[in-house]
Amino acid sequence: MSSNIRVAVVTGGNKGIGLAIVRDLCQQFSGDVMLTARDVARGQAAVQQLQAEGLSPRFHQLDIDDLRSIQALRDFLLKEYGGLNVLVNNAGIAFKTVDPTPFHIQAEVTMKTNFLGTRNVCTELLPLIKPQGRVVNVSSTEGVRALNECSPELQQKFKSETITEEELVGLMNKFVEDTKNGVHRKEGWSDSTYGVTKNGVSVLSRIYARKLSEQRAGDKILLNACCPGWVRTDMTEAHKSPEEGAETVVYLDLLLSDAEGPHGQFVSEKEVVEWGFPPESYPWANA
Ligand code: NAP
């Protein structure tokens, strides 16, 4: 075990914003950088691409939909590093607007990866985070939009300072059930499955940050959700490059060891955004 070597892990690191995050961390993080991908061939191809650029990421398979895959990474990190210093939950999916898949299936599949998969990674890996560690959950302003489209009752639940992880999981499962029963609008939900799942990621981040503050106050771990902006990747056509999309994520990954914050915040363009504030009102309203 080489537990004195620092290590950063990026989920969904084989392309898009995740690959750009890995590239930046290889250049700026003092320690090993683990590029993870669900598909070994795609992951290793990405590692080779970065090696051709003179960088040296390590590779580990990780499918966030598969608990055994997450636990295999957890065991590897414990054995090789005795824990983890930086965790970037970047892996995510979004159906294209033209995709003919029935709405309730889109809701179930998107929830499985974006919310439940991210939560499973956190459940297994947050206990490994070392003092002064950094955790960044890549969420989206689409989540804030979806929150603002929900009924006042649902908004109140999501904005509660005391909402528990179990209550949040219950709400996310209810959304999927409501789409199956064709009643999600009547029950006060947004029409954006992606947005609802990303709101879940943002609220989950607040809950985890609160728990860290309560249970590991002396460890100065900082955990935040962020939006990378509107980025040109396989997920969407947009104006920012993946490298520009990585900037806010990497800024949060590399917060100085004595930094007091941000913690438990939603960050966009390297700025803390007031919780639940409609994205149209941001000074840079384009993400
Ligand atoms: P992308 O190019 O489609 O990349 C998504 C990455 O996630 C890929 O590496 C993909 O792997 C991986 N992934 C998907 N499901 C996974 C799973 N079950 N296990 C492990 N990896 C999985 O999209 P992107 O634009 O870079 O998105 C990265 C993150 O930023 C996502 O969380 C997205 O929601 C968020 N985001 C993006 C934008 C934007 O404008 N692009 C805006 C706001 C937020 P495969 O190659 O195997 O599919």
Side-chain angles (χ1 to χ4, degrees), residues 11-18 36-39 42 62-66 89-94 113-114 138-142 194 198 226-236 238:
T11 72
N14 56 292
K15 67 176 183 179
I17 300 166
T36 71
R38 59 178 158 181
D39 182 273
R42 285 198 289 272
L62 176 66
D63 181 345
I64 71 167
D65 290 348
D66 177 357
N89 280 303
N90 162 78
I93 59 166
T113 300
N114 291 1
V138 181
S139 186
S140 172
T141 48
E142 288 302 317
Y194 176 79
K198 288 295 186 180
C226 73
C227 180
W230 192 236
V231 184
R232 204 165 49 244
T233 64
D234 286 351
M235 188 175 281
T236 187

mmCIF file of all heavy atoms in Angstrom, residues 11-18 36-39 42 62-66 89-94 113-114 138-142 194 198 226-236 238, ligand 1:
data_model
loop_
_atom_site.group_PDB
_atom_site.id
_atom_site.type_symbol
_atom_site.label_atom_id
_atom_site.label_comp_id
_atom_site.label_asym_id
_atom_site.label_seq_id
_atom_site.Cartn_x
_atom_site.Cartn_y
_atom_site.Cartn_z
ATOM 1 N N THR A 11 -15.049 9.999 -12.618
ATOM 2 C CA THR A 11 -15.962 9.033 -13.243
ATOM 3 C C THR A 11 -16.329 9.528 -14.646
ATOM 4 O O THR A 11 -16.366 10.735 -14.901
ATOM 5 C CB THR A 11 -17.236 8.817 -12.403
ATOM 6 O OG1 THR A 11 -18.062 9.989 -12.492
ATOM 7 C CG2 THR A 11 -16.910 8.542 -10.938
ATOM 8 N N GLY A 12 -16.578 8.581 -15.547
ATOM 9 C CA GLY A 12 -16.907 8.963 -16.930
ATOM 10 C C GLY A 12 -15.786 9.764 -17.557
ATOM 11 O O GLY A 12 -16.023 10.780 -18.215
ATOM 12 N N GLY A 13 -14.543 9.263 -17.403
ATOM 13 C CA GLY A 13 -13.375 10.047 -17.828
ATOM 14 C C GLY A 13 -12.928 9.802 -19.252
ATOM 15 O O GLY A 13 -11.941 10.387 -19.690
ATOM 16 N N ASN A 14 -13.642 8.955 -19.989
ATOM 17 C CA ASN A 14 -13.137 8.587 -21.315
ATOM 18 C C ASN A 14 -13.442 9.601 -22.418
ATOM 19 O O ASN A 14 -12.862 9.529 -23.496
ATOM 20 C CB ASN A 14 -13.667 7.201 -21.732
ATOM 21 C CG ASN A 14 -15.168 7.110 -21.713
ATOM 22 O OD1 ASN A 14 -15.787 7.157 -20.662
ATOM 23 N ND2 ASN A 14 -15.777 7.000 -22.873
ATOM 24 N N LYS A 15 -14.347 10.545 -22.152
ATOM 25 C CA LYS A 15 -14.629 11.528 -23.223
ATOM 26 C C LYS A 15 -15.267 12.775 -22.608
ATOM 27 O O LYS A 15 -15.517 12.844 -21.394
ATOM 28 C CB LYS A 15 -15.544 10.929 -24.286
ATOM 29 C CG LYS A 15 -16.957 10.634 -23.794
ATOM 30 C CD LYS A 15 -17.829 10.127 -24.944
ATOM 31 C CE LYS A 15 -19.257 9.884 -24.495
ATOM 32 N NZ LYS A 15 -20.131 9.417 -25.548
ATOM 33 N N GLY A 16 -15.525 13.747 -23.469
ATOM 34 C CA GLY A 16 -16.271 14.938 -23.067
ATOM 35 C C GLY A 16 -15.605 15.699 -21.928
ATOM 36 O O GLY A 16 -14.380 15.820 -21.851
ATOM 37 N N ILE A 17 -16.434 16.207 -21.032
ATOM 38 C CA ILE A 17 -15.941 17.026 -19.921
ATOM 39 C C ILE A 17 -15.061 16.183 -18.997
ATOM 40 O O ILE A 17 -14.038 16.661 -18.491
ATOM 41 C CB ILE A 17 -17.133 17.627 -19.144
ATOM 42 C CG1 ILE A 17 -17.983 18.507 -20.064
ATOM 43 C CG2 ILE A 17 -16.643 18.449 -17.943
ATOM 44 C CD1 ILE A 17 -19.352 18.882 -19.493
ATOM 45 N N GLY A 18 -15.419 14.911 -18.806
ATOM 46 C CA GLY A 18 -14.641 14.039 -17.921
ATOM 47 C C GLY A 18 -13.205 13.894 -18.392
ATOM 48 O O GLY A 18 -12.267 13.974 -17.585
ATOM 49 N N THR A 36 -11.443 6.797 -15.009
ATOM 50 C CA THR A 36 -12.296 5.607 -14.972
ATOM 51 C C THR A 36 -13.323 5.694 -16.096
ATOM 52 O O THR A 36 -13.710 6.788 -16.524
ATOM 53 C CB THR A 36 -13.017 5.429 -13.615
ATOM 54 O OG1 THR A 36 -14.028 6.428 -13.492
ATOM 55 C CG2 THR A 36 -12.046 5.510 -12.444
ATOM 56 N N ALA A 37 -13.727 4.517 -16.565
ATOM 57 C CA ALA A 37 -14.728 4.434 -17.637
ATOM 58 C C ALA A 37 -15.452 3.107 -17.496
ATOM 59 O O ALA A 37 -14.878 2.124 -17.024
ATOM 60 C CB ALA A 37 -14.055 4.521 -19.003
ATOM 61 N N ARG A 38 -16.707 3.087 -17.927
ATOM 62 C CA ARG A 38 -17.453 1.823 -17.811
ATOM 63 C C ARG A 38 -16.971 0.806 -18.832
ATOM 64 O O ARG A 38 -17.011 -0.391 -18.595
ATOM 65 C CB ARG A 38 -18.951 2.067 -17.939
ATOM 66 C CG ARG A 38 -19.408 2.705 -19.231
ATOM 67 C CD ARG A 38 -20.921 2.837 -19.249
ATOM 68 N NE ARG A 38 -21.373 3.859 -20.186
ATOM 69 C CZ ARG A 38 -22.630 4.172 -20.365
ATOM 70 N NH1 ARG A 38 -23.564 3.550 -19.680
ATOM 71 N NH2 ARG A 38 -22.973 5.109 -21.219
ATOM 72 N N ASP A 39 -16.507 1.293 -19.972
ATOM 73 C CA ASP A 39 -16.041 0.405 -21.030
ATOM 74 C C ASP A 39 -14.503 0.428 -21.045
ATOM 75 O O ASP A 39 -13.904 1.488 -21.270
ATOM 76 C CB ASP A 39 -16.593 0.874 -22.378
ATOM 77 C CG ASP A 39 -16.174 -0.028 -23.506
ATOM 78 O OD1 ASP A 39 -15.080 0.200 -24.065
ATOM 79 O OD2 ASP A 39 -16.922 -0.977 -23.816
ATOM 80 N N ARG A 42 -12.804 1.788 -24.309
ATOM 81 C CA ARG A 42 -12.917 3.249 -24.466
ATOM 82 C C ARG A 42 -12.035 3.963 -23.431
ATOM 83 O O ARG A 42 -11.413 4.979 -23.728
ATOM 84 C CB ARG A 42 -14.377 3.694 -24.300
ATOM 85 C CG ARG A 42 -15.250 3.370 -25.507
ATOM 86 C CD ARG A 42 -16.537 4.192 -25.516
ATOM 87 N NE ARG A 42 -17.490 3.798 -24.496
ATOM 88 C CZ ARG A 42 -18.420 2.856 -24.623
ATOM 89 N NH1 ARG A 42 -18.491 2.185 -25.748
ATOM 90 N NH2 ARG A 42 -19.263 2.576 -23.640
ATOM 91 N N LEU A 62 -14.927 1.495 -14.201
ATOM 92 C CA LEU A 62 -16.009 1.871 -13.269
ATOM 93 C C LEU A 62 -17.295 2.141 -14.036
ATOM 94 O O LEU A 62 -17.385 3.087 -14.815
ATOM 95 C CB LEU A 62 -15.639 3.133 -12.463
ATOM 96 C CG LEU A 62 -16.776 3.626 -11.545
ATOM 97 C CD1 LEU A 62 -17.069 2.619 -10.432
ATOM 98 C CD2 LEU A 62 -16.457 4.991 -10.939
ATOM 99 N N ASP A 63 -18.282 1.281 -13.776
ATOM 100 C CA ASP A 63 -19.647 1.515 -14.273
ATOM 101 C C ASP A 63 -20.471 1.918 -13.058
ATOM 102 O O ASP A 63 -20.687 1.095 -12.159
ATOM 103 C CB ASP A 63 -20.201 0.236 -14.909
ATOM 104 C CG ASP A 63 -21.610 0.435 -15.472
ATOM 105 O OD1 ASP A 63 -22.259 1.452 -15.117
ATOM 106 O OD2 ASP A 63 -22.059 -0.426 -16.247
ATOM 107 N N ILE A 64 -20.928 3.159 -13.017
ATOM 108 C CA ILE A 64 -21.616 3.624 -11.805
ATOM 109 C C ILE A 64 -23.005 3.004 -11.658
ATOM 110 O O ILE A 64 -23.633 3.150 -10.613
ATOM 111 C CB ILE A 64 -21.667 5.170 -11.707
ATOM 112 C CG1 ILE A 64 -22.622 5.772 -12.739
ATOM 113 C CG2 ILE A 64 -20.279 5.782 -11.825
ATOM 114 C CD1 ILE A 64 -22.939 7.255 -12.461
ATOM 115 N N ASP A 65 -23.467 2.294 -12.710
ATOM 116 C CA ASP A 65 -24.739 1.571 -12.597
ATOM 117 C C ASP A 65 -24.556 0.210 -11.925
ATOM 118 O O ASP A 65 -25.542 -0.487 -11.675
ATOM 119 C CB ASP A 65 -25.345 1.313 -13.996
ATOM 120 C CG ASP A 65 -25.849 2.584 -14.647
ATOM 121 O OD1 ASP A 65 -25.942 3.613 -13.958
ATOM 122 O OD2 ASP A 65 -26.139 2.533 -15.860
ATOM 123 N N ASP A 66 -23.321 -0.178 -11.677
ATOM 124 C CA ASP A 66 -23.010 -1.543 -11.227
ATOM 125 C C ASP A 66 -22.304 -1.474 -9.870
ATOM 126 O O ASP A 66 -21.135 -1.083 -9.786
ATOM 127 C CB ASP A 66 -22.122 -2.204 -12.296
ATOM 128 C CG ASP A 66 -21.680 -3.605 -11.901
ATOM 129 O OD1 ASP A 66 -22.000 -4.047 -10.778
ATOM 130 O OD2 ASP A 66 -20.994 -4.238 -12.729
ATOM 131 N N ASN A 89 -17.512 13.186 -9.438
ATOM 132 C CA ASN A 89 -18.646 12.439 -9.985
ATOM 133 C C ASN A 89 -19.131 13.160 -11.239
ATOM 134 O O ASN A 89 -19.976 14.060 -11.164
ATOM 135 C CB ASN A 89 -19.763 12.349 -8.937
ATOM 136 C CG ASN A 89 -19.480 11.269 -7.927
ATOM 137 O OD1 ASN A 89 -19.293 10.109 -8.284
ATOM 138 N ND2 ASN A 89 -19.412 11.655 -6.659
ATOM 139 N N ASN A 90 -18.537 12.761 -12.364
ATOM 140 C CA ASN A 90 -18.842 13.417 -13.633
ATOM 141 C C ASN A 90 -19.768 12.584 -14.524
ATOM 142 O O ASN A 90 -20.535 13.145 -15.306
ATOM 143 C CB ASN A 90 -17.520 13.683 -14.384
ATOM 144 C CG ASN A 90 -17.730 13.953 -15.854
ATOM 145 O OD1 ASN A 90 -18.129 15.047 -16.243
ATOM 146 N ND2 ASN A 90 -17.490 12.939 -16.687
ATOM 147 N N ALA A 91 -19.719 11.248 -14.396
ATOM 148 C CA ALA A 91 -20.475 10.381 -15.307
ATOM 149 C C ALA A 91 -21.959 10.735 -15.273
ATOM 150 O O ALA A 91 -22.539 10.925 -14.201
ATOM 151 C CB ALA A 91 -20.283 8.914 -14.912
ATOM 152 N N GLY A 92 -22.552 10.824 -16.435
ATOM 153 C CA GLY A 92 -23.982 11.135 -16.504
ATOM 154 C C GLY A 92 -24.512 10.885 -17.900
ATOM 155 O O GLY A 92 -23.741 10.741 -18.855
ATOM 156 N N ILE A 93 -25.834 10.819 -18.003
ATOM 157 C CA ILE A 93 -26.472 10.596 -19.308
ATOM 158 C C ILE A 93 -27.644 11.553 -19.497
ATOM 159 O O ILE A 93 -28.196 12.081 -18.524
ATOM 160 C CB ILE A 93 -26.989 9.145 -19.465
ATOM 161 C CG1 ILE A 93 -28.012 8.819 -18.354
ATOM 162 C CG2 ILE A 93 -25.858 8.142 -19.469
ATOM 163 C CD1 ILE A 93 -28.810 7.554 -18.629
ATOM 164 N N ALA A 94 -27.987 11.750 -20.759
ATOM 165 C CA ALA A 94 -29.189 12.536 -21.088
ATOM 166 C C ALA A 94 -29.747 12.009 -22.406
ATOM 167 O O ALA A 94 -28.983 11.810 -23.355
ATOM 168 C CB ALA A 94 -28.832 14.011 -21.227
ATOM 169 N N THR A 113 -28.720 6.188 -13.539
ATOM 170 C CA THR A 113 -27.319 6.602 -13.650
ATOM 171 C C THR A 113 -27.059 7.911 -12.908
ATOM 172 O O THR A 113 -26.211 7.973 -12.006
ATOM 173 C CB THR A 113 -26.925 6.769 -15.135
ATOM 174 O OG1 THR A 113 -27.094 5.521 -15.797
ATOM 175 C CG2 THR A 113 -25.479 7.233 -15.268
ATOM 176 N N ASN A 114 -27.797 8.949 -13.268
ATOM 177 C CA ASN A 114 -27.430 10.285 -12.779
ATOM 178 C C ASN A 114 -27.581 10.426 -11.270
ATOM 179 O O ASN A 114 -26.713 11.004 -10.608
ATOM 180 C CB ASN A 114 -28.286 11.356 -13.464
ATOM 181 C CG ASN A 114 -27.961 11.506 -14.933
ATOM 182 O OD1 ASN A 114 -27.105 10.792 -15.458
ATOM 183 N ND2 ASN A 114 -28.625 12.422 -15.604
ATOM 184 N N VAL A 138 -20.811 16.700 -10.527
ATOM 185 C CA VAL A 138 -21.158 17.493 -11.715
ATOM 186 C C VAL A 138 -22.672 17.419 -11.906
ATOM 187 O O VAL A 138 -23.224 16.400 -12.308
ATOM 188 C CB VAL A 138 -20.403 17.001 -12.963
ATOM 189 C CG1 VAL A 138 -20.780 17.861 -14.162
ATOM 190 C CG2 VAL A 138 -18.897 17.042 -12.723
ATOM 191 N N SER A 139 -23.315 18.516 -11.577
ATOM 192 C CA SER A 139 -24.756 18.617 -11.714
ATOM 193 C C SER A 139 -25.056 19.503 -12.921
ATOM 194 O O SER A 139 -24.295 19.471 -13.901
ATOM 195 C CB SER A 139 -25.341 19.188 -10.411
ATOM 196 O OG SER A 139 -26.747 19.160 -10.462
ATOM 197 N N SER A 140 -26.100 20.292 -12.857
ATOM 198 C CA SER A 140 -26.431 21.127 -14.011
ATOM 199 C C SER A 140 -27.431 22.206 -13.600
ATOM 200 O O SER A 140 -28.275 21.970 -12.720
ATOM 201 C CB SER A 140 -27.048 20.264 -15.116
ATOM 202 O OG SER A 140 -27.541 21.078 -16.162
ATOM 203 N N THR A 141 -27.359 23.332 -14.277
ATOM 204 C CA THR A 141 -28.391 24.345 -14.042
ATOM 205 C C THR A 141 -29.754 23.852 -14.531
ATOM 206 O O THR A 141 -30.788 24.389 -14.145
ATOM 207 C CB THR A 141 -28.053 25.681 -14.730
ATOM 208 O OG1 THR A 141 -27.679 25.412 -16.054
ATOM 209 C CG2 THR A 141 -26.946 26.414 -14.013
ATOM 210 N N GLU A 142 -29.729 22.790 -15.374
ATOM 211 C CA GLU A 142 -31.016 22.186 -15.757
ATOM 212 C C GLU A 142 -31.746 21.665 -14.515
ATOM 213 O O GLU A 142 -32.978 21.619 -14.477
ATOM 214 C CB GLU A 142 -30.799 21.041 -16.750
ATOM 215 C CG GLU A 142 -30.397 21.489 -18.144
ATOM 216 C CD GLU A 142 -31.408 22.435 -18.777
ATOM 217 O OE1 GLU A 142 -32.619 22.182 -18.668
ATOM 218 O OE2 GLU A 142 -30.989 23.445 -19.365
ATOM 219 N N TYR A 194 -34.076 14.718 -17.067
ATOM 220 C CA TYR A 194 -32.665 15.043 -16.798
ATOM 221 C C TYR A 194 -32.581 16.070 -15.676
ATOM 222 O O TYR A 194 -31.796 15.931 -14.735
ATOM 223 C CB TYR A 194 -32.027 15.580 -18.085
ATOM 224 C CG TYR A 194 -30.596 16.051 -17.938
ATOM 225 C CD1 TYR A 194 -29.547 15.134 -17.903
ATOM 226 C CD2 TYR A 194 -30.298 17.413 -17.856
ATOM 227 C CE1 TYR A 194 -28.236 15.562 -17.775
ATOM 228 C CE2 TYR A 194 -28.986 17.845 -17.735
ATOM 229 C CZ TYR A 194 -27.963 16.909 -17.700
ATOM 230 O OH TYR A 194 -26.664 17.343 -17.571
ATOM 231 N N LYS A 198 -30.802 15.792 -11.974
ATOM 232 C CA LYS A 198 -29.684 16.681 -11.602
ATOM 233 C C LYS A 198 -30.042 17.522 -10.377
ATOM 234 O O LYS A 198 -29.169 17.827 -9.563
ATOM 235 C CB LYS A 198 -29.283 17.565 -12.789
ATOM 236 C CG LYS A 198 -28.556 16.800 -13.888
ATOM 237 C CD LYS A 198 -27.205 16.257 -13.403
ATOM 238 C CE LYS A 198 -26.397 15.618 -14.507
ATOM 239 N NZ LYS A 198 -25.101 15.103 -14.057
ATOM 240 N N CYS A 226 -21.732 21.340 -8.977
ATOM 241 C CA CYS A 226 -21.458 22.457 -9.885
ATOM 242 C C CYS A 226 -22.104 22.214 -11.240
ATOM 243 O O CYS A 226 -22.561 21.107 -11.547
ATOM 244 C CB CYS A 226 -19.951 22.656 -10.050
ATOM 245 S SG CYS A 226 -19.160 21.384 -11.043
ATOM 246 N N CYS A 227 -22.139 23.283 -12.019
ATOM 247 C CA CYS A 227 -22.536 23.172 -13.428
ATOM 248 C C CYS A 227 -21.327 23.539 -14.269
ATOM 249 O O CYS A 227 -20.710 24.583 -14.028
ATOM 250 C CB CYS A 227 -23.706 24.101 -13.754
ATOM 251 S SG CYS A 227 -24.186 23.945 -15.495
ATOM 252 N N PRO A 228 -20.985 22.693 -15.248
ATOM 253 C CA PRO A 228 -19.828 23.021 -16.099
ATOM 254 C C PRO A 228 -20.143 24.083 -17.145
ATOM 255 O O PRO A 228 -19.240 24.554 -17.831
ATOM 256 C CB PRO A 228 -19.524 21.681 -16.782
ATOM 257 C CG PRO A 228 -20.839 20.962 -16.808
ATOM 258 C CD PRO A 228 -21.599 21.404 -15.590
ATOM 259 N N GLY A 229 -21.414 24.466 -17.249
ATOM 260 C CA GLY A 229 -21.827 25.380 -18.321
ATOM 261 C C GLY A 229 -22.413 24.562 -19.457
ATOM 262 O O GLY A 229 -22.667 23.368 -19.332
ATOM 263 N N TRP A 230 -22.595 25.227 -20.548
ATOM 264 C CA TRP A 230 -23.247 24.632 -21.715
ATOM 265 C C TRP A 230 -22.132 24.187 -22.655
ATOM 266 O O TRP A 230 -21.521 25.013 -23.326
ATOM 267 C CB TRP A 230 -24.145 25.724 -22.297
ATOM 268 C CG TRP A 230 -25.134 25.361 -23.325
ATOM 269 C CD1 TRP A 230 -25.226 25.923 -24.570
ATOM 270 C CD2 TRP A 230 -26.193 24.419 -23.232
ATOM 271 N NE1 TRP A 230 -26.267 25.358 -25.247
ATOM 272 C CE2 TRP A 230 -26.878 24.430 -24.454
ATOM 273 C CE3 TRP A 230 -26.615 23.537 -22.234
ATOM 274 C CZ2 TRP A 230 -27.964 23.602 -24.703
ATOM 275 C CZ3 TRP A 230 -27.702 22.719 -22.478
ATOM 276 C CH2 TRP A 230 -28.362 22.766 -23.698
ATOM 277 N N VAL A 231 -21.834 22.887 -22.678
ATOM 278 C CA VAL A 231 -20.574 22.395 -23.248
ATOM 279 C C VAL A 231 -20.817 21.489 -24.461
ATOM 280 O O VAL A 231 -21.699 20.623 -24.437
ATOM 281 C CB VAL A 231 -19.774 21.613 -22.167
ATOM 282 C CG1 VAL A 231 -18.427 21.187 -22.734
ATOM 283 C CG2 VAL A 231 -19.584 22.450 -20.913
ATOM 284 N N ARG A 232 -19.989 21.675 -25.468
ATOM 285 C CA ARG A 232 -20.065 20.917 -26.717
ATOM 286 C C ARG A 232 -19.481 19.511 -26.516
ATOM 287 O O ARG A 232 -18.272 19.341 -26.465
ATOM 288 C CB ARG A 232 -19.219 21.678 -27.734
ATOM 289 C CG ARG A 232 -19.519 21.496 -29.169
ATOM 290 C CD ARG A 232 -18.837 22.583 -29.998
ATOM 291 N NE ARG A 232 -17.425 22.779 -29.706
ATOM 292 C CZ ARG A 232 -16.909 23.891 -29.205
ATOM 293 N NH1 ARG A 232 -17.651 24.924 -28.914
ATOM 294 N NH2 ARG A 232 -15.610 23.984 -28.987
ATOM 295 N N THR A 233 -20.344 18.513 -26.345
ATOM 296 C CA THR A 233 -19.887 17.123 -26.171
ATOM 297 C C THR A 233 -20.869 16.222 -26.914
ATOM 298 O O THR A 233 -21.802 16.713 -27.555
ATOM 299 C CB THR A 233 -19.883 16.712 -24.679
ATOM 300 O OG1 THR A 233 -21.237 16.750 -24.205
ATOM 301 C CG2 THR A 233 -19.013 17.621 -23.833
ATOM 302 N N ASP A 234 -20.705 14.902 -26.751
ATOM 303 C CA ASP A 234 -21.681 13.991 -27.364
ATOM 304 C C ASP A 234 -23.063 14.177 -26.753
ATOM 305 O O ASP A 234 -24.070 13.774 -27.334
ATOM 306 C CB ASP A 234 -21.237 12.528 -27.183
ATOM 307 C CG ASP A 234 -20.074 12.184 -28.098
ATOM 308 O OD1 ASP A 234 -19.747 13.010 -28.975
ATOM 309 O OD2 ASP A 234 -19.489 11.094 -27.925
ATOM 310 N N MET A 235 -23.107 14.786 -25.544
ATOM 311 C CA MET A 235 -24.399 14.978 -24.880
ATOM 312 C C MET A 235 -25.193 16.115 -25.496
ATOM 313 O O MET A 235 -26.410 16.045 -25.605
ATOM 314 C CB MET A 235 -24.168 15.252 -23.382
ATOM 315 C CG MET A 235 -25.444 15.281 -22.576
ATOM 316 S SD MET A 235 -25.128 15.473 -20.821
ATOM 317 C CE MET A 235 -24.677 13.822 -20.354
ATOM 318 N N THR A 236 -24.496 17.164 -25.903
ATOM 319 C CA THR A 236 -25.227 18.334 -26.386
ATOM 320 C C THR A 236 -24.356 19.206 -27.294
ATOM 321 O O THR A 236 -23.129 19.150 -27.224
ATOM 322 C CB THR A 236 -25.738 19.157 -25.173
ATOM 323 O OG1 THR A 236 -26.573 20.191 -25.653
ATOM 324 C CG2 THR A 236 -24.615 19.768 -24.370
ATOM 325 N N ALA A 238 -23.166 22.862 -28.030
ATOM 326 C CA ALA A 238 -23.152 24.109 -27.267
ATOM 327 C C ALA A 238 -21.887 24.893 -27.585
ATOM 328 O O ALA A 238 -21.038 24.454 -28.359
ATOM 329 C CB ALA A 238 -23.235 23.797 -25.780
HETATM 330 P P1 NAP B 1 -20.640 12.895 -22.543
HETATM 331 O O1 NAP B 1 -19.648 13.403 -23.527
HETATM 332 O O2 NAP B 1 -21.818 12.141 -23.024
HETATM 333 O O3 NAP B 1 -19.847 12.035 -21.440
HETATM 334 C C1 NAP B 1 -20.531 11.345 -20.446
HETATM 335 C C2 NAP B 1 -19.558 10.406 -19.770
HETATM 336 O O4 NAP B 1 -20.265 9.691 -18.737
HETATM 337 C C3 NAP B 1 -18.988 9.353 -20.737
HETATM 338 O O5 NAP B 1 -17.666 9.073 -20.380
HETATM 339 C C4 NAP B 1 -19.883 8.156 -20.450
HETATM 340 O O6 NAP B 1 -19.277 6.924 -20.775
HETATM 341 C C5 NAP B 1 -20.013 8.306 -18.950
HETATM 342 N N1 NAP B 1 -21.056 7.461 -18.397
HETATM 343 C C6 NAP B 1 -22.371 7.413 -18.693
HETATM 344 N N2 NAP B 1 -22.978 6.464 -17.977
HETATM 345 C C7 NAP B 1 -22.026 5.889 -17.198
HETATM 346 C C8 NAP B 1 -22.011 4.842 -16.264
HETATM 347 N N3 NAP B 1 -23.119 4.150 -15.961
HETATM 348 N N4 NAP B 1 -20.853 4.537 -15.637
HETATM 349 C C9 NAP B 1 -19.723 5.229 -15.913
HETATM 350 N N5 NAP B 1 -19.657 6.187 -16.839
HETATM 351 C C10 NAP B 1 -20.796 6.518 -17.472
HETATM 352 O O7 NAP B 1 -21.261 14.084 -21.691
HETATM 353 P P2 NAP B 1 -20.598 15.389 -21.028
HETATM 354 O O8 NAP B 1 -21.257 16.559 -21.646
HETATM 355 O O9 NAP B 1 -19.124 15.291 -21.020
HETATM 356 O O10 NAP B 1 -21.183 15.255 -19.550
HETATM 357 C C11 NAP B 1 -20.375 15.080 -18.402
HETATM 358 C C12 NAP B 1 -21.188 15.498 -17.192
HETATM 359 O O11 NAP B 1 -21.498 16.888 -17.278
HETATM 360 C C13 NAP B 1 -22.538 14.783 -17.079
HETATM 361 O O12 NAP B 1 -22.821 14.496 -15.730
HETATM 362 C C14 NAP B 1 -23.518 15.814 -17.612
HETATM 363 O O13 NAP B 1 -24.824 15.609 -17.116
HETATM 364 C C15 NAP B 1 -22.888 17.086 -17.080
HETATM 365 N N6 NAP B 1 -23.300 18.316 -17.776
HETATM 366 C C16 NAP B 1 -23.027 18.477 -19.103
HETATM 367 C C17 NAP B 1 -23.407 19.674 -19.734
HETATM 368 C C18 NAP B 1 -23.109 19.927 -21.187
HETATM 369 O O14 NAP B 1 -23.482 21.018 -21.684
HETATM 370 N N7 NAP B 1 -22.448 19.015 -21.908
HETATM 371 C C19 NAP B 1 -24.073 20.691 -18.996
HETATM 372 C C20 NAP B 1 -24.319 20.481 -17.647
HETATM 373 C C21 NAP B 1 -23.927 19.294 -17.053
HETATM 374 P P3 NAP B 1 -19.553 6.189 -22.211
HETATM 375 O O15 NAP B 1 -18.614 6.815 -23.194
HETATM 376 O O16 NAP B 1 -19.242 4.767 -21.907
HETATM 377 O O17 NAP B 1 -20.988 6.426 -22.577
#
